[in-house]
Amino acid sequence: SGYVGREVSRRAVRRGWEVTSLSRRGINPESGDPVMEAVNWVAGDATDPNVVKPLVNEVDAVVHAVGLLFDVDSKLDKLNLIVSGSG
């Protein structure tokens, strides 16, 4: 639900796609915006395969805009493996 994630979500909803957004808080950062109200906001840890796998298993596409700079202990290197289905 950062800037990039919000904009990707907004554009996807406007194109008629069903959108789910996973974030630590799982709340709509733009409450009251009818486009953003159409997003399914889910709270969870993007580094936890048990959280991510059920969300990505039944979808046509995944966009992840998770970003932590200089955090080698974040486990985000594994996120690409999970969402691609290769990990």
Side-chain angles (χ1 to χ4, degrees), residues 18-84:
E18 293 179 25
V19 177
T20 295
S21 176
L22 172 66
S23 65
R24 288 182 298 253
R25 292 177 292 280
I27 59 170
N28 180 351
E30 297 184 25
S31 183
D33 180 326
V35 173
M36 299 305 277
E37 293 292 338
V39 176
N40 175 29
W41 300 96
V42 177
D45 180 353
T47 65
D48 183 348
N50 294 318
V51 171
V52 176
K53 283 182 180 181
L55 294 173
V56 302
N57 280 342
E58 301 297 323
V59 299
D60 295 323
V62 173
V63 174
H64 93 67
V66 176
L68 289 177
L69 298 177
F70 312 113
D71 187 355
V72 295
D73 297 322
S74 69
K75 302 180 192 165
L76 288 174
D77 58 325
K78 307 227 182 333
L79 181 59
N80 289 330
L81 295 175
I82 297 166
V83 300
S84 69

Side-chain angles (χ1 to χ4, degrees), residues 1-20:
S1 60
Y3 177 77
V4 172
R6 281 196 311 263
E7 289 308 307
V8 169
S9 295
R10 183 184 321 282
R11 290 173 187 224
V13 168
R14 285 185 176 145
R15 291 182 181 197
W17 298 337
E18 293 179 25
V19 177
T20 295

